[in-house]
Amino acid sequence: MVTYVDEEKFFDWYKKNAKEPDSNHTRVLNQLYSKYCETGKSYFTLKASQSVSGQEVQFPFRFEDIGCGGASTLFIYF
C-alpha cells in the first residue's frame, strides 16, 4: 500500500500544467507510482504534448520504503 503525503500540492501543480487534466486522482497517482516502479525516477513528467506550455514539465517527489518486520510501508511525499 502506498501512502501519499501532501498530494494537494501535486494536484494544484497538475491542474495548472496539464492540458487535459484527468479528474480521476486515483488513476493519476497510480500512474505516478507505476512510472516510479518502472524507472526509479522520482518525478512526474508531463510530455510537451500534454502540457499547457507545450514544454515538458516535471514535478519532483520523494519516495520512501519503510520496511518493518517483513512488511513494507511505502510513502510518496510531495
Side-chain angles (χ1 to χ4, degrees):
M1 176 176 199
V2 181
T3 300
Y4 299 96
V5 180
D6 291 333
E7 69 261 24
E8 300 85 17
K9 217 184 288 185
F10 169 71
F11 282 109
D12 286 345
W13 171 88
Y14 177 73
K15 288 176 193 173
K16 290 177 189 173
N17 287 281
K19 189 184 289 185
E20 296 178 20
D22 187 339
S23 61
N24 185 328
H25 289 186
T26 300
R27 182 172 37 229
V28 175
L29 291 173
N30 286 339
Q31 290 171 353
L32 179 143
Y33 178 65
S34 293
K35 197 66 166 175
Y36 173 79
C37 290
E38 290 172 18
T39 66
K41 296 179 181 176
S42 55
Y43 50 83
F44 182 84
T45 302
L46 288 172
K47 298 175 187 174
S49 63
Q50 299 171 311
S51 76
V52 172
S53 68
Q55 302 290 319
E56 181 177 282
V57 291
Q58 297 177 335
F59 190 94
F61 59 87
R62 184 169 55 91
F63 178 84
E64 191 172 292
D65 182 356
I66 301 173
C68 183
S72 184
T73 304
L74 309 172
F75 290 93
I76 292 182
Y77 300 92
F78 297 102

